[in-house]
Each structure stands twice: as structure tokens, then as C-alpha cells.
């Protein structure tokens, strides 16, 4: 069901990133794609999750790291990725008692946008849109966690940081919010266990430096985040969203050299 052009793009990126042969890369891309059926069904049962049953469905690994970040008192930035069933991250943390705000892309179909957000917020998390920067800052000031996805091509607005040996335009949101508010950034990824349950892996908090060179500060922390995500993808390659063209946008210098 994946268009041939997109499938070939994904295979090429797997080969370039992981060094697999074409047959192995194609198998990995297929595994990455077919899991979306199960992911969708899991999203539909989010409203049924609660404090009594969440432990059987999702366990937290590294919860102390999140608690340490909250203890700083300046809000927390959850740096997530399209790996595992990422839609479960916010609802899960809300059930475990954390004040979480998910930053979402508004869907063009209003009915679909409303349905998705009703499912997301059914366990107590809040949703804001990518355009609501002031709202994000207010939530951080209130000591809440703001969840951002950090692994999409950010086009010309991104920071070009290395990812699997190639510069990738990476969203600067986590770095910018952290630098402005002094908030901790906590890389957080969902992975699926052999028995069908999930583990939410929570990494130690990181902080963005605030020197007289803002761009350098952004790049330094963004590169750290990409390195952490790369290690996670290497450990769980079939769970990452390879069908997204992560390296689509090229650095200006690279474009100029081709002219």
C-alpha cells in the first residue's frame, strides 16, 4: 500500500543509514509500514486506559529522569520522535500523573482533527498547535511538560545537525524553548515489547547553553538530541518512520556546490 516512489526513498535511506543490503532494507521498510495498523487500533483504546491498567500496557523506564527534570521548576520539554507508537506518550504520562501538553500539527480535515485530539486528551493531557508558541512558553512557566516531535524535516527553518552521518534539517523548537526558559529537555521514546506491551524510555535531562552565540547553542543541543535518537533507532530500526524523507532539505552550501 506504500507508493513505489516513497518506498524506494525509504529503502535508499535505510541503506545509507544502516548499511543494509537492498533486500534487508526493503524488509525493514515493510515492517515499519505494516505496524501502523496496530498503532491505529491502540490509539482508539486510549480512552480506556487509566491508573488501574496502564502498568499492564506501558511501563516507564527512567522515570527518575523525568522527575529530576520537573524538580528544576522551569517546565520540561519532552523531545519525542516517530518511533514506536508515539501517540501513546502524552496520554501515558498524563495517566502517570504528569501535566503534559502535546504540540500537534492541525489536520486539514476538521472532523479528523477533532477526533484525534479527543482521543489524545481523553486521559488528561492538553493539546496545542505548532503555531501556539506563546502558549507553550506559558505552559513551561507554569511548570508543565511540553511535548515536541523532533525527527521531521524542518525545511529552511531547521538546524542542520548530523543524523546517521548526513546533515538533516532538524526542528529547533526544543533548543529554542529550552534556551528561553531554562527548561530541561528530556528525550523520550516509546518502544513495543515482544508481548505487545510498551516501554517508554526516558533519558536524562539536557539543558541548552545560553552564550552570546544563539545559533551555536541551538546546534550544540540539537546535535546531542539527534545522537540520542540515532542510538535509539539503531536499537529499534523497524519502529522508526522511514517513510518520511528525513533528509529532503539540503544545507545551503550543498545546494550551492551543485550549481
Amino acid at each position: 500500500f506504500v507508493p513505489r516512489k516513497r518506498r524506494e526513498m525509504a529503502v535508499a535511506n535505510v541503506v545509507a543509514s544502516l548499511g543494509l543490503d537492498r533486500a534487508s532494507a526493503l524488509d525493514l521498510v515493510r515492517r515499519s509500514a505494516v505496524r501502523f495498523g496496530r498503532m491505529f487500533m491502540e490509539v482508539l483504546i486510549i480512552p480506556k486506559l487509566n491508573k488501574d491498567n496502564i502498568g499492564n500496557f506501558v511501563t516507564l523506564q527512567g522515570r527518575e529522569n523525568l522527575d529530576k527534570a520537573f524538580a528544576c521548576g522551569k517546565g520540561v520539554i519532552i523531545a519525542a520522535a516517530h518511533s514506536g507508537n508515539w501517540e501513546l506518550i502524552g496520554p501515558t504520562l498524563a495517566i502517570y500523573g504528569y501535566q503534559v501538553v502535546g504540540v500537534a500539527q492541525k489536520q486539514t480535515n476538521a472532523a479528523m482533527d477533532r477526533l484525534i485530539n479527543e482521543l489524545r486528551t481523553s486521559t488528561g493531557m492538553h493539546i496545542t498547535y505548532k503555531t501556539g508558541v506563546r502558549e507553550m512558553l506559558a505552559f513551561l512557566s507554569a511548570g508543565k511538560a511540553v511535548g515536541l516531535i523532533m525527527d521531521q524535516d524542518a525545511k529552511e527553518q531547521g538546524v542542520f545537525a548530523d543524523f546517521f552521518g548526513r546533515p538533516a534539517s532538524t526542528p529547533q523548537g526544543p533548543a529554542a524553548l529550552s534556551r528561553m526558559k531554562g527548561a530541561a529537555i528530556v528525550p523520550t521514546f516509546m518502544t513495543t515489547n515482544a508481548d505487545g506491551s510498551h516501554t517508554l524510555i526516558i533519558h536524562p535531562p539536557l539543558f541548552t547553553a545560553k552564550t552570546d552565540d544563539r545559533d551555536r547553542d541551538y546546534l550544540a543541543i540539537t546535535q546531542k538530541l539527534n545522537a540520542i535518537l540515532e542510538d535509539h533507532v539503531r536499537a529499534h530500526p523497524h519502529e522508526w518512520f522511514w517513510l518520511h524523507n528525513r533528509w529532503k532539505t539540503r544545507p545551503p552550501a550543498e545546494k550551492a556546490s551543485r550549481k
Side-chain angles (χ1 to χ4, degrees):
F1 62 92
V2 178
R4 183 176 182 277
K5 185 176 180 179
R6 182 166 292 273
R7 183 179 69 242
E8 290 303 314
M9 174 274 297
V11 169
N13 280 333
V14 169
V15 171
S17 301
L18 302 178
L20 299 180
D21 58 63
R22 175 179 165 75
S24 298
L26 181 58
D27 179 65
L28 192 152
V29 169
R30 286 171 175 164
R31 293 174 64 197
S32 176
V34 299
R35 67 193 182 90
F36 277 85
R38 175 170 179 162
M39 288 173 57
F40 178 73
M41 297 305 295
E42 289 176 336
V43 170
L44 293 179
I45 68 169
I46 287 177
K48 296 185 178 296
L49 299 177
N50 54 55
K51 293 180 179 179
D52 294 328
N53 61 28
I54 189 64
N56 297 322
F57 193 58
V58 184
T59 55
L60 307 186
Q61 177 182 312
R63 184 173 184 173
E64 69 279 2
N65 295 321
L66 188 57
D67 291 338
K68 181 179 179 180
F70 269 103
C72 295
K74 296 185 177 182
V76 176
I77 298 161
I78 303 292
H82 292 93
S83 189
N85 195 338
W86 63 86
E87 287 287 355
L88 298 176
I89 295 176
T92 293
L93 291 177
I95 294 173
Y96 273 102
Y98 297 97
Q99 292 186 304
V100 182
V101 180
V103 179
Q105 176 68 49
K106 191 170 186 177
Q107 303 296 311
T108 54
N109 184 294
M112 180 59 69
D113 188 70
R114 184 170 58 253
L115 171 61
I116 292 174
N117 288 333
E118 286 176 354
L119 291 169
R120 288 167 171 164
T121 58
S122 62
T123 64
M125 72 176 293
H126 180 78
I127 289 292
T128 188
Y129 293 114
K130 289 184 178 180
T131 54
V133 177
R134 289 184 179 179
E135 191 176 18
M136 296 179 211
L137 293 172
F139 284 128
L140 290 174
S141 295
K144 298 181 180 181
V146 173
L148 298 171
I149 296 291
M150 66 178 197
D151 65 339
Q152 289 182 307
D153 178 73
K155 302 180 180 179
E156 287 72 23
Q157 291 74 43
V159 177
F160 282 96
D162 183 84
F163 189 55
F164 283 100
R166 290 181 286 168
S169 179
T170 308
Q172 60 182 324
L177 291 175
S178 173
R179 190 176 185 275
M180 282 190 283
K181 303 300 291 186
I185 303 175
V186 181
T188 305
F189 312 120
M190 189 73 76
T191 186
T192 303
N193 304 316
D195 64 358
S197 64
H198 304 270
T199 297
L200 186 58
I201 302 173
I202 305 170
H203 288 263
L206 303 172
F207 296 87
T208 303
K210 194 169 187 177
T211 70
D212 57 357
D213 190 334
R214 184 189 65 179
D215 291 341
R216 182 179 61 190
D217 296 342
Y218 284 2
L219 176 59
I221 193 67
T222 301
Q223 187 59 72
K224 288 181 181 179
L225 292 171
N226 272 4
I228 292 170
L229 174 57
E230 182 177 324
D231 286 343
H232 180 83
V233 174
R234 288 186 184 278
H236 311 278
H238 69 285
E239 291 191 320
W240 194 55
F241 188 38
W242 290 99
L243 294 174
H244 172 68
N245 193 355
R246 184 67 187 84
W247 295 270
K248 181 178 182 179
T249 303
R250 308 315 306 145
E254 185 177 313
K255 289 181 179 180
S257 67
R258 292 178 178 176
K259 294 181 180 180

